[in-house]
Amino acid sequence: MKTLRVGVIGTGGIGRAHAERLTKYIANADVVAVNDINETAAKATAEACGARYEADPIALIHAEDVDAVLIASWDRTHEQFVCETIEAGKFVFCEKPLSNTADGCRHVIEVEQKAGKRLLTVGFMRRYDKGYQQMREVIASGRLGEVLMVHAQHRNAAPTGEKHTTVMSVSGALVHEFDITRFLLDDEYVSAQMILPRSTRNADEDLIDPQMVMLRTKKGIHIDLEIYMNCRYGYDIQCEVVGEEGTVRLPELANIAPMRVDGTRQHKIYTEWYKRFEDAYVYELRDWVDSALEGKAAGASAWDGYVTSAVAEKCTEARLSDSVVKFDLGERPAMYRTTEV
Ligand code: NAP
């Protein structure tokens, strides 16, 4: 069996978890080298995965024993590491967001166009979640008639990783919703508006929380998205698609058993984001590895990364101008016209 030798950059919350998933659950992947600006964190992950510690991320990308690179460092580092890996001709998996800016994503697209083939996968793992996949099938089957509206909520108990600001809630977290909704609908966004409810006292001072985003698609579908980073009670992801003939809803609690006890019907709620989508993370990494070994890039592309970051920027523009911002995302290059997952 062929094996993909992976170098990992960034071993905080998700980087370490991805390195361990590759090691434990994905037989045809080996984590061989690990880098993080935090040497202690990198060495701990390297030891857990039987890999070597590499002090220089650029050396890791170019190392002869590294076939492909997984990037899970801070958002603002992604563009540089992704471009370096593509220029080295290697497959790269980059956690979302691809870049903090639409321009940064466009730069990645240019670099990949020059490389002449898709090498990048962006870590929009919800595409691999069985619930969203069922929703997509129902919508595509036409049983709902034409889709009219989507209502979705993204609630975190509290922010994790980098300190969250008003912009980052949208550009770092809500991008998941931007990606999965267009994946469900097979449609593209044309306008954005933001509504700011009263902010919770639990948010840091530079974070307005919650925020509401309204999007409209080319087909005229209305999408309302709530992002609430300090809801306190748990990690809660909801999505309902409303059509002319019916609705379809994301199964709420994958892998959680409901109880009837003490005169009540009850169930736990996820409190950690990584548990809610654990299966999807494993499926996306497996697909990335299998595809790379076949010489292909799986999952969300640089174009998908660009769309989500561009929409995040338009949301900020809409918030600052307190208006509906209309936009045109431009033409999708031929390389990105097929969506397999
Ligand atoms: P985190 O816990 O802060 O981890 C990021 C790690 O990257 C930290 O160890 C940080 O070092 C390190 N780092 C920062 N700059 C670096 C550089 N130049 N070179 C090498 N390492 C560097 O954050 P996280 O929650 O794991 O998030 C990491 C990325 O994954 C972010 O882009 C985030 O948006 C994304 N993410 C995706 C999902 C998802 O569901 N797909 C979920 C969570 C996060 P320090 O220890 O010094 O800070």
Side-chain angles (χ1 to χ4, degrees), residues 182 186-190 216-218 303 307 329 332:
R182 59 193 277 281
D186 208 8
D187 198 356
E188 206 53 280
Y189 305 119
V190 293
R216 192 166 278 271
T217 68
K218 281 186 181 164
W303 178 257
V307 168
L329 293 165
R332 184 195 297 234

Side-chain angles (χ1 to χ4, degrees), residues 188-328:
E188 206 53 280
Y189 305 119
V190 293
S191 76
Q193 181 184 7
M194 285 196 71
I195 293 176
L196 303 179
R198 187 178 180 193
S199 195
T200 170
R201 66 187 151 82
N202 294 319
D204 285 338
E205 61 191 18
D206 41 6
L207 171 62
I208 299 170
D209 192 42
Q211 304 178 67
M212 296 288 301
V213 167
M214 313 287 166
L215 299 173
R216 192 166 278 271
T217 68
K218 281 186 181 164
K219 290 180 195 161
I221 300 171
H222 164 91
I223 299 157
D224 51 84
L225 307 172
E226 172 196 313
I227 176 78
Y228 186 12
M229 295 304 294
N230 286 278
C231 82
R232 288 298 189 257
Y233 68 84
Y235 179 69
D236 194 6
I237 302 298
Q238 309 271 346
C239 181
E240 185 189 29
V241 175
V242 181
E244 295 167 302
E245 311 292 336
T247 73
V248 63
R249 184 179 272 279
L250 182 68
E252 237 192 274
L253 295 159
N255 305 328
I256 287 191
M259 294 178 280
R260 283 174 164 78
V261 64
D262 295 336
T264 63
R265 197 175 62 145
Q266 53 177 269
H267 52 71
K268 289 188 175 167
I269 290 179
Y270 286 102
T271 48
E272 290 97 1
W273 50 265
Y274 53 87
K275 290 191 179 159
R276 169 64 181 83
F277 288 109
E278 177 56 28
D279 294 351
Y281 288 124
V282 174
Y283 296 143
E284 78 168 342
L285 290 176
R286 186 167 289 147
D287 194 25
W288 177 59
V289 169
D290 289 346
S291 300
L293 287 170
E294 287 170 19
K296 297 185 299 190
S301 68
W303 178 257
D304 301 315
Y306 156 70
V307 168
T308 52
S309 292
V311 171
E313 277 184 2
K314 294 297 171 190
C315 288
T316 299
E317 207 179 308
R319 176 170 60 81
L320 295 175
S321 62
D322 194 16
S323 65
V324 178
V325 171
K326 296 187 177 169
F327 52 85
D328 178 353

Side-chain angles (χ1 to χ4, degrees), residues 8-16 18 35-39 41-42 55 57 71-78 80-81 93-98 123-126 154 160-164 168 171-173 175-176 235 273-274 277 281 284:
V8 175
I9 301 176
T11 55
I14 201 162
R16 178 170 178 143
H18 279 339
N35 163 269
D36 193 296
I37 208 163
N38 177 335
E39 190 177 325
I71 296 164
S73 45
W74 290 338
D75 298 355
R76 60 182 171 276
T77 64
H78 293 178
Q80 182 206 352
F81 294 148
F93 176 99
C94 177
E95 260 312 330
K96 62 80 208 161
L98 175 54
F124 284 120
M125 78 295 176
R126 291 195 195 176
H154 180 135
T160 58
E162 277 186 86
K163 190 169 182 287
H164 267 65
M168 270 181 66
S171 68
V175 284
H176 275 303
Y235 179 69
W273 50 265
Y274 53 87
F277 288 109
Y281 288 124
E284 78 168 342

